[in-house]
Amino acid sequence: MEDGTSPSLSYCGDTDDGYDVRQWDVREDCEVRQILDRIADKWSLLVIALLDQRSLRFTELRRQVDGISQRMLARTLRHLERDGLVSRTVHPSVPPRVDYALTPLGATLHETIRALVTWTETHQQEIAAARAAYDVRAAAEQRQADEEAAARTALARAVLERGGPGPTQDVAGRVPR
Amino acid sequence: MEDGTSPSLSYCGDTDDGYDVRQWDVREDCEVRQILDRIADKWSLLVIALLDQRSLRFTELRRQVDGISQRMLARTLRHLERDGLVSRTVHPSVPPRVDYALTPLGATLHETIRALVTWTETHQQEIAAARAAYDVRAAAEQRQADEEAAARTALARAVLERGGPGPTQDVAGRVPR
DNA sequence: CGGTATCCCCTAAGATACTG
DNA sequence: CAGTATCTTAGGGGATACCG
């Protein structure tokens, strides 16, 4: 076993019905964080989405996920299996055949995840716009900072070379605040 | 800018209405993956949850998140701001004061995330049970494997010491297939 | 075919120190 | 107070090799 959740921490108790961030914060050590880590890792989501269509063999998954290493596929499947999201069926034949399928639990999770995907699709334009705007602002601020730095440098040089400060005006021609 | 999404890849085009995993797989390079990485990273979720209650200053967040480093909080907030999920307001006072708040977009995301949290809360018992069952099975298989290994070792030693194989029966007393 | 074991690299994130 | 800059380390993940 490579990791595996110390049993003493696995249950934190659900205190009440309300939605309290402090509780949430505490629960982070609990389950929410773990499930989130599971579905958010590089491959799990893809595997779940694939298996929601039909059950697949190891090699089929390997081919369809494209880019995943044997090691990571095995790890991902072990994790999903341990959490009860995916079932593993070994057919005792030659060559060996192992089928992976989404459990009912896994299916409900996938359902929930789809809400998130839908949200993303709905708002991707807004996000793209926000990013573009941010990047423009950031670039502008960067230019600004560069100019001021250049001005300071130039002023410092002037002071050193001429043994004293020049007129109260920086290189960019603006008056300092 | 430390990283930041090469512009040429940011839009993949939404081809049709159907839900196709292959498309999804492709879209991974697009937006879904990025948003998922954003909301799934170690701190973003907590910050969003906190800000959904009320706007907070940098240090307030730092205190409430508990465990986050100054560096990571700053990074997390920059990311969320860039994606248009959180707004940053600088009050030009001494000492400086900066307020962070959830944007309307961020609020809708938080709404969606809550579905996931609810799912987790609803199914955490099932997950815990699945893990326990898995661990029991794994432990049993491990014991089994260890026993067989010990048996093989013992048999090998017996062969070496006595110059030939013993009776057709292994140490565990079972007949080989 | 369906894995596990091993090595190794690279980056994300923590600690620390400094700045406007 | 609200950050950025720099250094360092743990572990996620790829490549490879081998087992049942």
Side-chain angles (χ1 to χ4, degrees):
Chain A
M1 216 172 302
E2 205 163 323
D3 173 29
T5 324
S6 88
S8 56
L9 291 168
S10 50
Y11 191 69
C12 313
D14 44 328
T15 41
D16 60 346
D17 44 332
Y19 183 83
D20 179 13
V21 189
R22 310 301 247 127
Q23 284 297 329
W24 219 51
D25 190 357
V26 171
R27 278 201 297 258
E28 196 208 341
D29 304 317
C30 231
E31 296 285 340
V32 181
R33 177 82 266 149
Q34 289 170 24
I35 291 300
L36 217 53
D37 286 348
R38 182 73 54 250
I39 68 125
D41 77 34
K42 203 173 175 185
W43 306 112
S44 296
L45 192 54
L46 244 16
V47 170
I48 290 173
L50 250 3
L51 291 180
D52 192 49
Q53 321 282 305
R54 62 184 187 86
S55 79
L56 292 167
R57 310 176 51 171
F58 188 87
T59 312
E60 288 177 318
L61 278 169
R62 191 151 141 66
R63 266 194 297 273
Q64 293 209 36
V65 173
D66 180 75
I68 196 171
S69 64
Q70 204 169 22
R71 173 175 141 72
M72 286 318 292
L73 180 54
R75 267 176 71 89
T76 301
L77 288 169
R78 282 311 81 77
H79 287 320
L80 293 174
E81 190 195 354
R82 189 168 110 96
D83 287 351
L85 301 169
V86 157
S87 65
R88 178 171 178 275
T89 317
V90 184
H91 298 92
S93 57
V94 177
R97 177 193 179 94
V98 180
D99 279 325
Y100 292 94
L102 225 52
T103 62
L105 186 63
T108 68
L109 177 58
H110 186 220
E111 206 63 39
T112 308
I113 289 171
R114 270 151 102 146
L116 214 62
V117 175
T118 303
W119 183 92
T120 306
E121 288 170 345
T122 308
H123 298 93
Q124 57 180 324
Q125 256 83 48
E126 291 176 68
I127 293 167
R131 287 191 196 169
Y134 179 95
D135 290 349
V136 167
R137 263 180 298 160
E141 276 166 30
Q142 189 55 50
R143 245 194 323 277
Q144 180 81 12
D146 288 350
E147 274 169 25
E148 282 169 12
R152 274 196 305 279
T153 304
L155 178 59
R157 192 169 25 240
V159 169
L160 283 171
E161 282 170 2
R162 305 194 1 254
T168 309
Q169 188 184 44
D170 68 12
V171 171
R174 286 175 279 98
V175 283
R177 282 165 291 168
Chain B
M1 216 172 303
E2 206 163 324
D3 173 28
T5 327
S6 88
S8 56
L9 291 167
S10 50
Y11 190 68
C12 315
D14 45 327
T15 42
D16 61 346
D17 45 332
Y19 182 82
D20 179 14
V21 189
R22 309 301 246 125
Q23 284 297 329
W24 220 51
D25 190 358
V26 171
R27 278 202 297 258
E28 196 208 340
D29 304 316
C30 234
E31 296 285 339
V32 180
R33 177 83 264 151
Q34 290 170 24
I35 292 300
L36 216 54
D37 286 347
R38 181 74 53 250
I39 67 122
D41 78 34
K42 203 174 176 186
W43 305 112
S44 297
L45 191 54
L46 244 17
V47 171
I48 290 173
L50 250 2
L51 290 180
D52 192 48
Q53 321 283 306
R54 63 183 187 88
S55 78
L56 293 168
R57 311 177 50 170
F58 188 87
T59 312
E60 288 178 319
L61 277 168
R62 192 152 140 65
R63 265 194 298 273
Q64 294 209 36
V65 172
D66 180 75
I68 195 169
S69 64
Q70 207 169 17
R71 179 185 190 282
M72 286 317 292
L73 179 56
R75 268 178 71 88
T76 302
L77 288 169
R78 283 311 79 78
H79 287 320
L80 293 174
E81 191 195 354
R82 188 168 111 97
D83 288 351
L85 301 169
V86 157
S87 66
R88 180 170 176 275
T89 316
V90 184
H91 298 93
S93 57
V94 176
R97 177 193 179 93
V98 180
D99 279 326
Y100 291 94
L102 225 51
T103 62
L105 186 63
T108 67
L109 177 57
H110 187 221
E111 206 63 38
T112 307
I113 289 171
R114 271 151 101 145
L116 213 62
V117 175
T118 303
W119 182 92
T120 307
E121 288 171 345
T122 308
H123 298 94
Q124 57 180 323
Q125 256 84 50
E126 291 176 67
I127 293 167
R131 286 192 192 162
Y134 180 95
D135 291 348
V136 168
R137 263 179 299 160
E141 277 166 30
Q142 189 56 48
R143 246 194 322 278
Q144 179 81 12
D146 287 349
E147 273 169 26
E148 282 169 11
R152 274 196 305 278
T153 305
L155 179 59
R157 189 165 32 237
V159 169
L160 284 170
E161 283 171 1
R162 307 196 356 256
T168 309
Q169 188 185 43
D170 68 13
V171 172
R174 284 175 280 100
V175 284
R177 282 163 294 168

